[in-house]
Amino acid sequence: MEMNATIIGQSIILFAIVMAVLGYYLGKRKTTNPVLTAVIAALSALIPPLAIIFLIVLVLKEDVKQ
């Protein structure tokens, strides 16, 4: 199977969007600054293992009291 650079780029962009949405959703519940959390999650999507670790850390973090 031949890998096309366009498909790889589009999948990375799609993964970054998914990570940004998940980062914002978890950031609203777990941090005081959800926008910064979403930006960091989207940037970490450039290195997928780092993005998964970041997501795991957010899931395991305690909720912020409102």
Side-chain angles (χ1 to χ4, degrees):
M1 183 173 156
E2 189 175 320
M3 292 300 292
N4 191 352
T6 304
I7 294 173
I8 294 171
Q10 288 174 348
S11 63
I12 290 173
I13 290 173
L14 180 65
F15 185 61
I17 291 170
V18 169
M19 284 300 297
V21 170
L22 288 173
Y24 183 77
Y25 173 72
L26 288 171
K28 279 184 8 183
R29 291 181 29 210
K30 310 270 183 179
T31 66
T32 57
N33 196 351
V35 175
L36 181 62
T37 306
V39 169
I40 292 172
L43 290 177
S44 71
L46 296 175
I47 305 171
L50 181 64
I52 301 299
I53 291 170
F54 182 72
L55 200 63
I56 290 171
V57 168
L58 274 179
V59 167
L60 294 176
K61 187 175 180 191
E62 293 290 325
D63 287 349
V64 174
K65 300 203 177 184
Q66 301 271 333

